[in-house]
Amino acid sequence: MEEEKIFEMCRELIKLQEQQYQVVKMEIDGIINNRIKNEMYIERKLDEMLDILSFYENDETLLTFRKLCRYYYDINPQATAHYIMFYKE
């Protein structure tokens, strides 16, 4: 019985992470499509992606993170390198 509760809680956490990812992905697409250069906003999205990747990493989430890193590299290469290092850790 206790194992079922834990399993259900984990399932709900994964669902929440997936929902958060979908929202952040739309915002990242908006950043890239609209060529937004606001570094604080972009870094906030990178931070959110690192949080998502720590619990909900798959090919799609990793590609989204990489896509934003590639975009941000032209704006701030040093900060982008730090985000890539944070991910690797």
Side-chain angles (χ1 to χ4, degrees):
M1 186 69 162
E2 192 66 30
E3 288 179 13
E4 289 177 27
K5 286 181 183 179
I6 293 171
F7 182 74
E8 186 59 33
M9 286 174 46
C10 290
R11 188 180 312 161
E12 289 300 316
L13 283 172
I14 290 170
K15 260 197 249 182
L16 288 172
Q17 287 294 318
E18 184 176 5
Q19 290 171 356
Q20 181 186 8
Y21 167 69
Q22 294 303 325
V23 170
V24 173
K25 182 182 184 309
M26 287 187 334
E27 293 171 338
I28 289 170
D29 289 342
I31 288 169
I32 294 168
N33 293 336
N34 297 309
R35 301 180 187 269
I36 293 172
K37 306 283 189 219
N38 182 321
E39 292 186 37
M40 288 180 62
Y41 181 60
I42 294 170
E43 289 184 13
R44 195 167 42 242
K45 296 303 130 192
L46 285 165
D47 288 335
E48 289 178 34
M49 281 304 303
L50 287 173
D51 288 342
I52 290 167
L53 287 166
S54 67
F55 292 102
Y56 184 68
E57 183 174 342
N58 58 43
D59 291 343
E60 183 182 358
T61 56
L62 184 55
L63 286 173
T64 300
F65 176 73
R66 291 176 64 191
K67 185 168 126 177
L68 184 56
C69 284
R70 278 193 295 274
Y71 175 80
Y72 193 43
Y73 186 80
D74 290 335
I75 298 167
N76 189 333
Q78 186 175 19
T80 304
H82 286 161
Y83 276 97
I84 292 168
M85 276 186 358
F86 295 144
Y87 167 73
K88 288 181 177 181
E89 288 177 4

